[in-house]
Amino acid sequence: MNPAFSVIFLTTLLGAGQGVFLALFVIEARAAAGLLTAPSVMFYWMGSAIALALLAAGLLASFLHLGHPERAWRAAAMWRTSWLSREVIVLPAFMVAVAGYGWAHWQGLPGTLWLGAAGAAICLGLFLCTAMIYACIKFLQEWATPLTLVNFVVLGCASGVTLATALAAVLDEAITGITGAWAIALTCTGLLTRAASLWRNARLKPRSSLQTAIGVKHPRIVQKAQGFMGGSFNTREFFHDRTPGALRAVKWVFLACAFVIPVLLLAAGLATAVPVLLALACAVQFGGLIAERWFFFAQANHPQNLYYQAVS
Amino acid sequence: MTQLALVIDLNVCVGCHACVTSCKEWNTSGAAGFMSDDNPYDRDPTGTFFNRVQTFEVGEFPNTQTVHFPKSCLHCEDPPCVPVCPTGASYKRPEDGIVLVDYDKCIGCKYCSWACPYGVREIDEHQKVMKKCTLCVDRIYDTKLPTAERKPACVMACPTNARLYGDIHDPESVVSKAIRENAGYALMPEWGTQPANHYLPRRKTEMRIHEDELERADNPLKIDGRLPKPGIKDPSLDDVTSW
């Protein structure tokens, strides 16, 4: 697939926003259980505002993907069959929940924990919808695995909790230690789950071949003409036109920037109590996740590419 | 239940692209609007097409076969592109099984093209909606046309009659018979899409001559072989000559 930056930003920004919100909710739940000292009210509403901003930016990015954004409201219609339609419904619901959660904290209303629990449930639903958009296409074999869902959840939470850690370092230093520990744990988990999907995809056997594509049983089939000399939608949308070497380079870049460097920066930031290091960890990790999502799309090999191998 | 479909005979297709041009001509002139092109007479021409003819070489020189392979929407009986559409713009007509796009509902998210393993959906770069073969739905039901012309434009254009059109759920239709009698097959059966369009395989044209066609089989005792050759002056059956 040719990675579209609109979708790359959509999925990474949503993941980060969801991670921030889940961090807020878990902190509140643990504080309510007496497991940690409750952070200030400002931490909650600032965190909610940041989560909401990330979600809104993701929503904006999704509009840039559409040919007819003015008709986007129609996308809520087919929720019975389409994961994309479900996401279109769940995302605004989640944004309302996050806004309500932040507002309730701002106003000092009671019952924020229950509001947070509802928001967390919607948040997990949003993770499911976003990941299943990709995982449900069974012939995109690189995506059609439960690891896609696992990675969307873990990487989203890792980036969000890293951001929450940077926020805590500025607003509420008392909880920086615990959120930082979560961020490191989630990032390390993300490295394991993403490495698992890399390992799986490196060993995939494509089920479709030129033989099944045109129905001729012969071991040697070569395309001589794809039917046109210039490009078409099929050659633009499904080929990234990068060398295997470039793809490998992006892989190592995202493994370093999304996982290894943020963990080192987080550890250094927590040890030295320098908020700048935590903010840097956050920025490097987000950049790394952009590269990770680019690679996620570029690595998916669409079976339609079998029909577009030679110009003439 | 009706399932209209094309059956494409790869043994007959000569790769002339007449189906491609007639498809474009008919569909760019229709009520649904034009199919946009960019740089049609310039470098890197590109445009929206419903139908393509591709060419494959099978085997190794000198034992090769050139296979011309027309490819358009297969109107799958279980189309993976339809359920993923968030707006319902992409749909399969229950009455005749044609998979269509409602251009007024399409938001241009391209998700259906990702969900088609055959790559037969193309976005129109100017109208920003997804387009695909309609099986000339605006031709085949047009009562103003003579009955014989109520067929997709590509079928009408094919000079070698490589494209057959009909209802594959009707066992007596020309397409069902062709699939049944000439080993029609579906593309990429591994994904369970059940394409309605079928392809007829290449068939090698061979002259088969059996022994009994060279030597009389109804002469088991070889009697005519043992008969003495009649003399040149002897009367024959027609009294003209003996050989």
Side-chain angles (χ1 to χ4, degrees):
Chain A
M1 306 287 291
N2 191 10
F5 274 96
S6 49
V7 184
I8 291 173
F9 276 102
L10 164 70
T11 54
T12 49
L13 287 166
L14 288 194
Q18 287 165 272
V20 171
F21 175 79
L22 285 180
L24 297 180
F25 169 66
V26 173
I27 287 168
E28 183 173 13
R30 288 179 70 91
L35 293 171
L36 52 81
T37 51
S40 63
V41 172
M42 194 178 175
F43 179 73
Y44 287 117
W45 70 255
M46 277 283 275
S48 300
I50 288 173
L52 197 60
L54 289 168
L55 296 171
L59 186 63
L60 182 72
S62 77
F63 273 89
L64 298 178
H65 186 69
L66 301 182
H68 281 279
E70 78 281 5
R71 298 178 185 165
W73 59 273
R74 287 188 179 275
M78 300 305 282
W79 54 271
R80 287 181 191 81
T81 61
S82 171
W83 283 105
L84 179 52
S85 186
R86 287 168 200 160
E87 187 191 35
V88 165
I89 295 169
V90 175
L91 174 56
F94 180 57
M95 290 175 74
V96 168
V98 173
Y101 181 76
W103 185 76
H105 273 291
W106 167 280
Q107 296 292 319
L109 298 178
T112 51
L113 191 59
W114 293 109
L115 202 57
I122 303 176
C123 179
L124 294 178
L126 182 56
F127 270 128
L128 181 68
C129 293
T130 311
M132 282 310 288
I133 288 173
Y134 307 99
C136 78
I137 305 177
K138 56 186 172 182
F139 46 81
L140 280 167
Q141 289 170 273
E142 288 84 354
W143 295 352
T145 158
L147 281 171
T148 301
L149 175 59
V150 171
N151 280 323
F152 270 61
V153 173
V154 175
L155 301 188
C157 287
S159 61
V161 176
T162 306
L163 182 54
T165 307
L167 185 69
V170 179
L171 294 178
D172 229 309
E173 222 163 296
I175 55 165
T176 312
I178 185 76
T179 53
W182 292 344
I184 290 175
L186 279 166
T187 306
C188 291
T189 312
L191 179 60
L192 289 180
T193 56
R194 193 65 179 93
S197 79
L198 286 176
W199 188 84
R200 170 192 180 270
N201 290 350
R203 280 152 189 78
L204 272 183
K205 268 197 175 151
R207 284 182 69 187
S208 289
S209 61
L210 259 183
Q211 283 73 19
T212 69
I214 67 168
V216 175
K217 300 281 178 290
H218 194 286
R220 188 182 177 279
I221 303 175
V222 183
Q223 187 169 43
K224 290 293 170 185
Q226 61 186 2
F228 47 90
M229 307 291 284
S232 77
F233 173 74
N234 304 81
T235 59
R236 288 188 291 270
E237 180 77 3
F238 299 97
F239 292 90
H240 52 73
D241 292 332
R242 303 302 197 291
T243 59
L247 224 60
R248 269 197 304 277
V250 172
K251 181 177 76 181
W252 290 111
V253 164
F254 90 67
L255 285 174
C257 291
F259 305 107
V260 180
I261 299 174
V263 167
L264 295 176
L265 285 169
L266 277 166
L270 293 175
T272 59
V274 180
V276 177
L277 286 177
L278 298 176
L280 196 62
C282 191
V284 170
Q285 186 168 43
F286 190 73
L289 287 180
I290 300 251
E292 185 275 330
R293 214 42 55 85
W294 187 93
F295 185 85
F296 171 78
F297 284 103
Q299 196 189 27
N301 192 19
H302 201 289
Q304 77 106 39
N305 293 4
L306 292 168
Y307 294 107
Y308 300 93
Q309 297 290 332
V311 171
S312 185
Chain B
M1 277 290 287
T2 306
Q3 173 64 65
L4 299 180
L6 299 173
V7 169
I8 294 163
D9 193 344
L10 297 182
N11 198 47
V12 179
C13 177
V14 293
C16 70
H17 291 246
C19 53
V20 179
T21 50
S22 65
C23 166
K24 178 100 176 181
E25 187 274 335
W26 176 263
N27 285 294
T28 202
S29 322
F34 62 95
M35 293 155 70
S36 62
D37 288 320
D38 281 304
N39 310 323
Y41 304 107
D42 215 332
R43 266 178 69 163
D44 298 326
T46 183
T48 317
F49 283 79
F50 294 169
N51 185 22
R52 306 277 195 186
V53 176
Q54 308 187 318
T55 304
F56 295 88
E57 188 179 83
V58 177
E60 205 148 356
F61 182 82
N63 296 316
T64 54
Q65 289 261 332
T66 301
V67 177
H68 298 295
F69 181 81
K71 178 166 80 84
S72 57
C73 173
L74 306 172
H75 299 282
C76 298
E77 303 208 40
D78 190 3
C81 54
V82 167
V84 301
C85 176
T87 67
S90 205
Y91 63 105
K92 186 172 178 69
R93 304 204 330 167
E95 65 267 33
D96 54 15
I98 301 179
V99 178
L100 286 177
V101 179
D102 184 338
Y103 300 147
D104 294 330
K105 281 188 187 169
C106 177
I107 57 172
C109 70
K110 305 175 196 162
Y111 190 30
C112 57
S113 72
W114 295 10
C116 169
Y118 307 103
V120 293
R121 288 173 164 255
E122 299 189 15
I123 202 149
D124 190 300
E125 301 285 0
H126 291 269
Q127 294 168 27
K128 299 286 183 193
V129 292
M130 195 54 73
K131 297 199 167 175
K132 62 176 285 302
C133 162
T134 64
L135 215 60
C136 285
V137 72
D138 51 348
R139 261 194 86 91
I140 57 179
Y141 295 112
D142 190 348
T143 48
K144 288 194 288 269
L145 290 173
T147 319
E149 286 181 26
R150 290 179 207 162
K151 290 176 180 174
C154 57
V155 176
M156 297 290 295
C158 182
T160 60
N161 210 13
R163 302 174 77 91
L164 310 174
Y165 158 75
D167 173 15
I168 59 161
H169 283 182
D170 170 11
E172 291 312 307
S173 69
V174 62
V175 282
S176 295
K177 279 183 184 162
I179 294 169
R180 197 165 60 231
E181 291 167 7
N182 293 318
Y185 61 87
L187 305 182
M188 290 190 192
E190 62 271 24
W191 302 118
T193 56
Q194 300 176 55
N197 283 13
H198 282 68
Y199 287 79
L200 305 183
R202 299 271 294 162
R203 297 179 288 282
K204 214 162 191 171
T205 313
E206 283 175 337
M207 199 160 96
R208 289 210 184 87
I209 299 174
H210 296 279
E211 282 286 302
D212 59 351
E213 288 171 290
L214 293 171
E215 204 171 316
R216 277 184 58 179
D218 54 353
N219 183 28
L221 298 177
K222 311 280 184 198
I223 289 169
D224 52 0
R226 282 193 270 123
L227 286 175
K229 196 174 175 186
I232 197 161
K233 295 271 196 297
D234 287 351
S236 67
L237 282 178
D238 55 2
D239 274 346
V240 175
T241 176
S242 59
W243 66 80

